[in-house]
Amino acid sequence: MSRSPHAKRLPRIRQARTTPPWWFALPALLLFAFVVLVPSARGVYYAFTDWDGLDPHFSFVGLDNFSDMLRDADATQAIWHTLLIAVSITVIQNAVGLVLALGVNSAIKSRNMLRVFLFAPAVITPIVTAYLWRNLLGPDGAVNSLLGAIGLNGWEQDWLGDPDLALWAIVGVIVWQFAGYSMVIFLAGLQSVPREVHEAAAIDGAGPVRRFWSVTRPLLAPAFTINLMLSIIGGIKLFDQVYALTGGGPGHATDTLSTLIYKDAFTLGEFGYSIALAVVLTIIVAVASTGQYLMLSRNERATS
Amino acid sequence: MNRYGRRTLALELAMIAGALFVAFPVYVLVNLAVRPTADTSSPISPTTSPTLDNFTQAWQQGALGGALANSVLVTVCSVVIVLAVSSLAAYPLARVTAHWARGTYLLVLLGLALPFQLASLPLYQTMRDMGLLGSPWALVLFYSGLQVPFTVFLYVGFLRALPPDFEDAALIDGCTPLQGFRYVVLPMLKPVTATALVLNTVAVWNDFFTPLLYLSGSAQQTLPVAIAGFVGQYVTDWNLIFAALVISVLPVLLLYFLLQRSIINGFAGGLKG
């Protein structure tokens, strides 16, 4: 007798278990829509207008903002700088990070302390490290003093004031700050490589280089994916460090898409044009991340 | 294979040399921050008569105390909100297999690819029209939405690897879905919550672009904006600027060295999450 109501209730419980209510997602979705989705969609729309950011009357100008961009030397240069910075950071930061990770993953005694020290710059506010380096790289700064002290007076430079050097100085500062971040991610990957696999390869006569190439490298594929993704997208969006180190100068020698977007919108009042630049930035990020995702997921499949 | 031989010693020395190279700017930072303005010797030679005057002066003239309080307020509120709404949202998004749930999750992931530069200019207009410019609450609102895609992504990935048996048991025992979430799901999410906490806190604390847009010129600044304003005002007085930089870095580094294990795991944990 007591079994029948129970049996009746069972299907209802089954239904309840498979569906947490949809409204649980509502607060997050509303915030996401308000801050990201709706403004991004409006941004794409404004990119085809001549809006100045204030005047409620503005007109639709089609592709004018984009064709202006092609004629605007500052804009084409900024796009080039953005790509150059992103690619250089990606290559150098990950190479340094990988070397550091291999070093810290060895039998050395100071490995735990080194790991903590080398990662430390990555948690410091980027604008703060940038102002620090702006002084260090100045004509009377510590970098030149150090070069002088070790007898390399001929290498002393105005690192940020020289249009040919400034961009590379910025790349150097970013690598200094974030190589430890790449290191930590590579290290997590390295520690997932089973020791027995290494020992088996060593017994089979593989030297350290061969062991790295054939055993470690394939198993590091997920760490590579994350690291390359983080550094290339971070490099494309870069703003804080450029703003603080050079402000885009000397002249426009280090302007990136992000600094140009800021200047055009807030010092020149060209909102429509500025947002068109942001659309270009979005397209570059999208192309870079899909391209990288496709390439790396193919590699991961091929090697695993 | 792990014997500590001559080669290991060479590697050890090389790595320590690398670490000293990384630490060199920090040495100069502190060295110049404790130096009287009159001392114009080389920035790399140790300061002979150190003083704390720069710190007291920077603290007073840069209004750094207020900026520090604002940064703490904005970071704590934003991170609490984003963790709460994202974990709650991840529950149906990870568990429900209907089309709407998959579609919604994909829409949220799209947010990962959209750079903030695209949204920030139109949103600036909206915030201005709502009268929120100059208020730290505008930033709390901003980060609470901006960090949703990444945080939901972490939570959904983690939840999908967990079996639903515990929640089911709780619901059969008569929990409401909200109680089931609060007392059963949320405790199981602890490891990924730690990762999300670390990554969101660092991201919000360090951000400069958005507070520069929303707060510049107002009395309510966060630490990065206050520092930028300070540098603009005291362009040539680097001893004073460096003291301000030390003040702004100190709480972060103290926290980092105290909690280094969980912080580093948080950053590396994004890999598995």
Side-chain angles (χ1 to χ4, degrees):
Chain A
M1 231 180 86
S2 64
R3 281 191 68 176
S4 69
H6 201 129
K8 237 185 227 166
R9 216 184 295 150
L10 207 62
R12 202 167 56 85
I13 290 168
R14 287 216 150 223
Q15 201 185 17
R17 81 170 225 180
T18 48
T19 53
W22 65 272
W23 58 263
F24 274 16
L26 203 58
L29 290 177
L30 286 176
L31 283 167
F32 170 61
F34 178 79
V35 173
V36 181
L37 268 192
V38 174
S40 295
R42 285 176 57 209
V44 172
Y45 169 73
Y46 288 135
F48 298 95
T49 68
D50 62 359
W51 193 39
D52 66 359
L54 283 167
D55 195 343
H57 306 285
F58 54 87
S59 43
F60 196 72
V61 296
L63 288 170
D64 281 7
N65 285 328
F66 295 92
S67 53
D68 285 351
M69 219 178 282
L70 293 176
R71 282 190 296 271
D72 177 359
D74 292 349
T76 47
Q77 258 204 323
I79 294 175
W80 167 242
H81 293 154
T82 305
L83 295 174
L84 193 63
I85 288 181
V87 171
S88 322
I89 290 175
T90 303
V91 172
I92 305 173
Q93 181 186 316
N94 285 298
V96 176
L98 182 59
V99 169
L100 293 178
L102 288 170
V104 170
N105 195 42
S106 67
I108 61 173
K109 293 203 170 86
S110 53
R111 58 178 183 270
N112 288 325
M113 236 170 64
L114 283 174
R115 189 181 67 129
V116 174
F117 265 101
L118 292 171
F119 183 73
V123 296
I124 303 178
T125 311
I127 192 93
V128 169
T129 58
Y131 282 128
L132 165 61
W133 276 99
R134 183 161 119 192
N135 176 276
L136 299 185
L137 292 167
D140 302 320
V143 171
N144 282 343
S145 309
L146 193 67
L147 288 172
I150 57 175
L152 291 171
N153 304 63
W155 290 23
E156 291 179 17
Q157 303 281 350
D158 182 6
W159 300 95
L160 296 169
D162 181 336
D164 295 326
L165 279 177
L167 198 75
W168 301 106
I170 293 173
V171 171
V173 172
I174 311 280
V175 171
W176 171 81
Q177 181 163 18
F178 292 111
Y181 192 170
S182 301
M183 175 195 76
V184 159
I185 289 181
F186 278 128
L187 194 60
L190 283 174
Q191 285 166 346
S192 70
V193 179
R195 188 168 295 275
E196 303 85 68
V197 185
H198 260 287
E199 281 163 6
I203 291 167
D204 289 347
V209 175
R210 182 67 205 270
R211 283 205 302 273
F212 173 76
W213 191 254
S214 306
V215 179
T216 311
R217 188 190 56 92
L219 290 167
L220 273 183
F224 266 109
T225 311
I226 300 271
N227 262 336
L228 296 184
M229 208 75 139
L230 283 175
S231 47
I232 202 150
I233 292 178
I236 295 171
K237 293 182 186 172
L238 197 67
F239 174 80
D240 300 5
Q241 289 92 337
V242 184
Y243 176 91
L245 279 167
T246 63
H252 288 285
T254 55
D255 255 330
T256 64
L257 272 170
S258 292
T259 59
L260 209 59
I261 289 168
Y262 175 75
K263 286 182 194 170
D264 282 344
F266 292 94
T267 56
L268 302 175
E270 293 178 348
F271 266 75
Y273 186 62
S274 168
I275 293 179
L277 286 169
V279 169
V280 172
L281 180 73
T282 308
I283 294 170
I284 295 178
V285 169
V287 169
S289 38
T290 22
Q292 204 167 39
Y293 176 77
L294 291 177
M295 208 177 71
L296 289 163
S297 61
R298 206 182 51 197
N299 282 354
E300 262 177 60
R301 242 175 297 138
T303 51
S304 62
Chain B
M1 211 173 123
N2 280 320
R3 226 162 33 88
Y4 196 94
R6 203 179 297 164
R7 281 172 74 169
T8 324
L9 181 68
L11 179 65
E12 178 116 47
L13 293 177
M15 289 296 292
I16 291 174
L20 287 179
F21 182 73
V22 170
F24 167 68
V26 182
Y27 158 72
V28 179
L29 174 67
V30 177
N31 191 31
L32 290 192
V34 298
R35 178 175 287 190
T37 318
D39 183 347
T40 53
S41 56
S42 160
I44 57 173
S45 50
T47 300
T48 43
S49 49
T51 162
L52 291 177
D53 287 354
N54 294 324
F55 292 94
T56 46
Q57 214 184 331
W59 180 264
Q60 286 158 1
Q61 291 170 5
L64 296 181
L68 192 68
N70 272 329
S71 274
V72 171
L73 172 85
V74 167
T75 307
V76 170
C77 294
S78 309
V79 172
V80 167
I81 293 175
V82 83
L83 292 184
V85 299
S86 302
S87 54
L88 191 63
Y91 185 26
L93 292 181
R95 289 288 188 245
V96 177
T97 50
H99 285 301
W100 68 264
R102 287 175 183 277
T104 311
Y105 184 50
L106 283 180
L107 194 68
V108 173
L109 289 190
L110 174 73
L112 282 177
L114 290 173
F116 61 87
Q117 283 94 339
L118 182 60
S120 60
L121 296 180
L123 192 61
Y124 175 83
Q125 310 300 333
T126 310
M127 294 282 192
R128 191 188 59 199
D129 296 345
M130 290 168 71
L132 279 172
L133 288 187
S135 155
W137 299 110
L139 286 177
V140 172
L141 181 60
F142 174 78
Y143 295 124
S144 300
L146 184 77
Q147 298 297 110
V148 157
F150 173 67
T151 315
V152 166
F153 169 71
L154 284 181
Y155 274 118
V156 167
F158 190 86
L159 253 175
R160 281 187 177 161
L162 283 182
D165 304 352
F166 296 103
E167 307 140 46
D168 292 349
L171 292 179
I172 291 169
D173 285 349
C175 270
T176 65
L178 206 56
Q179 286 169 328
F181 173 76
R182 169 71 186 80
Y183 295 107
V184 182
V185 179
L186 207 54
M188 291 193 299
L189 292 177
K190 237 183 200 161
V192 70
T193 300
T195 298
L197 177 75
V198 167
L199 294 176
N200 279 315
T201 303
V202 173
V204 172
W205 180 270
N206 285 344
D207 189 36
F208 173 65
F209 185 74
T210 314
L212 176 70
L213 295 193
Y214 292 1
L215 301 182
S216 68
S218 84
Q220 303 282 328
Q221 301 192 329
T222 57
L223 211 44
V225 183
I227 292 288
F230 192 78
V231 175
Q233 204 178 342
Y234 297 92
V235 197
T236 51
D237 196 344
W238 279 98
N239 301 100
L240 201 56
I241 292 174
F242 273 23
L245 296 186
V246 170
I247 293 173
S248 77
V249 163
L250 217 53
V252 179
L253 281 186
L254 277 181
L255 216 59
Y256 169 68
F257 283 109
L258 271 177
L259 305 173
Q260 36 99 357
R261 188 174 293 269
S262 7
I263 290 178
I264 293 181
N265 283 345
F267 275 89
L271 180 61
K272 293 158 220 149

